[in-house]
Amino acid sequence: MTPYRFLHSSDLHLGKPFGRFPEGIRHRLREARHGAIGRLAAAARSGGAATILLAGDTFDAETPAPDTLRQALSAMREASDLTWVLLPGNHDSLKASELWQRIATDGPANLRALASDAPVELAPEIWLLPAPCTQRNAGRDLTEAMSAATPAGARRIGLGHGAITDFSGEDGATGIIPPDRAQRSGLDYLALGDWHGQMQVSPTTWYSGTPEPDGFKHDAPGSALLVTLDGPVPQVAPVGVAGFRWLRPEIDLLPGEDAANRIAAALPPTGARDHLVRLTLKGRLPLAERAAVEAGLAHRAPDFGWFATDLTGLAVEALPEDLDQIDHAGALRQAAEALLAEAGDAGRSQAERDTAASALARLYALTQEVRA
């Protein structure tokens, strides 16, 4: 039988608002999700695939804004050499009847929207067995439909959305798709969506992950899966397609280390504008080094698409001569001594001690700035 190749992706979440971020990066993140359509098309072409399977949650809501829907359909129409196959997910389930009616009416000829679980012939001897989400929480295993009959000898591809029973899905719901669904239903490959990180469940079952990450939960960069059916086990190759990278480095620091170099090594050397970073520092540093670290991070932060730090776990070591750098006497010296005492008070909670240490470092930095 002739090898069959396709691109497996999911969870584009077009129209996601990213409301917890500042407007500038929020706009860029929304645009990156739309741009994922073109990057998926390019990945399919370069990999020799003519079909792109989107395993649910193409849209972030059941009622996407008119421009979000129209522009997505237009982008797929422009990739007229490819076939796009859309599966309703839990965010854009079949319950959103108006959405899927609009897709059926306005969608391009190269788009196949799966409004039922009836088997679909993708190519000669290649059959797709879809399990579209009927509503946000169907409460049953919709992938049972993948056991439907197809012509003898045909290759069978399952397309579903949801969590397997071994873990909770992206929205925290307990999974009901059995991990051995591919075996139960005689599938050559099971393409799943819902989990935003790429994951192999078995040699024949994969979550593609989102092509454009939307948070720090998953460390790997966004990619799609180029799948080739040619033999008893599918050949699956990740293909990078993300515009942004989300990083959450965590560093333990100790006195005497070159803190600046360790931090620099954990941050991307190039392309900072296309990175979102949540840096966590732990350990302990002398007061002057802690202040220098804070100043260095404040200087670098504007280079990135978004940059945040968590220094609550970074304790401060302060000597009397360090406090002299703040003031020898008076209100500032009293405030510094009080903060130092709170930072080392075992009777206080760790959060209170961390806050006091951070405040002391900030006080030190401010006084040095004034004197500079």
Side-chain angles (χ1 to χ4, degrees), residues 319-329 333 337 364 368 371:
L319 301 174
E321 51 265 35
D322 295 323
L323 299 189
D324 289 342
Q325 294 294 316
I326 296 176
D327 207 344
H328 290 281
R333 177 59 179 248
E337 291 176 345
Y364 179 92
Q368 304 313 298
R371 293 172 182 172

Side-chain angles (χ1 to χ4, degrees), residues 44-65:
R45 293 187 189 104
S46 64
T51 300
I52 298 175
L53 303 183
L54 297 181
D57 286 358
T58 301
F59 300 96
D60 189 59
E62 294 183 342
T63 55

Side-chain angles (χ1 to χ4, degrees), residues 253 258-261 263-264 267 279 281 285 287-304 307-309 311 314 361-362 365 369:
L253 298 172
D258 190 334
N261 278 344
I263 293 170
L267 297 177
L279 174 66
L281 299 181
L285 288 177
L287 185 56
E289 290 184 28
R290 162 69 181 253
V293 163
E294 289 199 23
L297 294 175
H299 176 73
R300 285 219 59 187
D303 295 336
F304 294 88
F307 190 88
T309 58
L311 309 184
L314 186 61
R362 186 61 183 149
E369 290 174 10

Side-chain angles (χ1 to χ4, degrees), residues 70-124:
R70 288 281 295 277
Q71 291 170 16
L73 297 179
S74 294
M76 293 177 190
R77 179 180 290 108
E78 291 171 7
S80 59
D81 55 322
L82 303 171
T83 297
W84 300 82
V85 181
L86 267 63
L87 181 84
N90 61 317
H91 279 255
D92 52 9
S93 72
L94 286 173
K95 189 174 182 181
S97 56
E98 181 180 350
L99 168 62
W100 293 99
Q101 180 58 48
R102 288 166 61 193
I103 291 174
T105 302
D106 301 335
N110 61 325
L111 169 63
R112 303 181 75 165
L114 304 172
S116 79
D117 58 14
V120 175
E121 188 176 18
L122 293 178

Side-chain angles (χ1 to χ4, degrees), residues 150-165:
T150 54
R155 289 194 174 114
R156 295 162 56 85
I157 302 170
L159 186 63
H161 187 93
I164 61 173
T165 53

Side-chain angles (χ1 to χ4, degrees), residues 3 41 56 67-68 87 112 123 139 162 173 189 191 204 242 276 290 334 339 342:
D67 60 332
T68 298
L87 181 84
R112 303 181 75 165
Y189 182 82
T204 54
L276 291 88
R290 162 69 181 253
Q334 292 176 6
L339 289 171
E342 290 180 17

